[in-house]
Amino acid sequence: MKRHKYVLAATTCALAVTLTAGACTASDDAVSGSGTAKAAAADGPAADGGTLKVGLDRPFTKLDPADGTLTSMPMMVLANALYDPLMVNGDNGVVQPYLAKSFTPNSDATGWTLQLREGVKFSDGKPLDAQAVVDHVKRLAKPESKCSCAADAATIGALKANGPTTVDFTLKAPNAAFPGLFTRSLGYISETPNAEGAAVGSGPYTVESVQPGVSVTVARNPAYWGAKGHADKIVYQVLPDSDSRYQSLRSGDADLIWTETPTQFKQAAGDGLRTATGPGATSTVLFNTKAAPFDDPRVRQALQYAVDREAVEKVVFLDQGTVADGPIGSRSPYHAANTYPAHDPAKARALLAEAGHPDLSFDYLVDNRPEAQQRATVLQQMFAEAGVKMTIKPMDAASLGTAMFQRKFQVMDFVTSMFGDTDSALNSLYTARSPYNFTGYSKPEAEQAIAAGRAELDAAKRGAAYNEAAKAIVADAPMLFLTESPAGFLASAEVGGLPDLSRRTVINVSPAGLWVKK
């Protein structure tokens, strides 16, 4: 099938050794975008007051950093209202301090010393000091917290407060990228949740009212230690359906929404809307490498040859992204050009015949979003060219997640922001003991290279080790890499302070820097 037929069918359905406060200041730029000040100047003077209305793309169960939903990339616009992070992901994946003044390793990266900013307080007036950091990390490390960060916390052998603003960490194994673990759950320092289930943080806003899974209203924190939020209040509404969320923005029921839908990015300008996006979403295909026939690398490699990544990018993402070439994102400071197998259906057929599966068939699990369905349809056509029958099995997001974590799938769609943080992505997705190794992939050479990279404080040497791992991963094909595509926010023309996120692989916006124009 030629590429134009895909179009027709688809339309029918560099961390530094020592991180110091000089790397960034405690400004909105640190949790939004490097162009925030420039963007704000273009919008004119900031307007204080009023209410900002934000449409969230998923429900939340509780307002606690232990809840992984709250610290997912689309939801950090809520988390950043209530909690300040120790560290943040800056441009091109570089980790920077925020509440931290510095995060310094010993000579072999088995010990790290955190220095906190002085004078920071929780919204209830208690000091956010070294002991508070220790208590927070220990709380989230407990099994009962159900934090997705438990695997990260488990890498810490010991930690202790050494004075009011110093925390010493002793690790079980070297980790030169250790500060990167504190950009989300572990880094959003909070107190134990109150009777209403909300953890107390040090952010620019405090909770006024909440309906879990439905909405939350926050009000400006008058005692905030940093720059005060512009809006008096922010109302967050849970709007899971992408089309309904977009229409709420057009109608004025929302001022700001999250989206990953290509057609909405294309349509936004014509509807008078503003955009703030970054290359935050990587689309992939996961194989269950622990079950036949995908335990045979030849079968996985065959499907690798069957995919025309350029066509997927053009048809599904409307030429707004780029093709992915492996587990190290193109914006990562560690990225080096990777030789990815070219589209070759004949080669795919030959490999399948060699593996004894000339008539391969399988179920493909995918969520119900239109772009996911469209991507699945395009892949189905491509695989058919190689003689493969793929049956699309749509599922709701919760069921899809369960199937992924329990490895109850043959092949499934996987779109993630994880690749925006190379250090965490490699260690999480491709090491045997990680709870996020969804494919079950295990190869000693790859694991040794990842471990060598994590232990290496020299960024160039770390990158070289990571690229050795990336080559092994692409060659073994436990997953297929498709595209890197935009993700981020759409806003009405009345929203000011919208940041430049174009170089952000992890999109992390503080609502404190936004305002509603009067």
Side-chain angles (χ1 to χ4, degrees), residues 285-301 303 352 357 360-363 388-389 409-412 439 476-478:
V285 175
L286 303 183
F287 296 119
N288 183 349
T289 68
K290 293 298 185 182
F294 299 105
D295 57 346
D296 187 334
R298 294 171 297 179
V299 175
R300 307 192 300 263
Q301 291 159 356
L303 296 188
L352 289 172
H357 296 282
L360 178 68
S361 64
F362 60 86
D363 290 340
V388 175
K389 181 181 178 182
F409 66 92
Q410 290 181 290
V411 187
M412 70 180 294
T439 65
D476 286 338

Side-chain angles (χ1 to χ4, degrees), residues 57-83:
D57 78 330
R58 65 198 68 187
F60 55 91
T61 56
K62 55 185 177 180
L63 296 174
D64 183 355
D67 183 355
T69 300
L70 188 67
T71 55
S72 63
M73 193 166 65
M75 297 288 281
M76 285 194 284
V77 70
L78 169 57
N80 285 327
L82 304 175
Y83 314 103

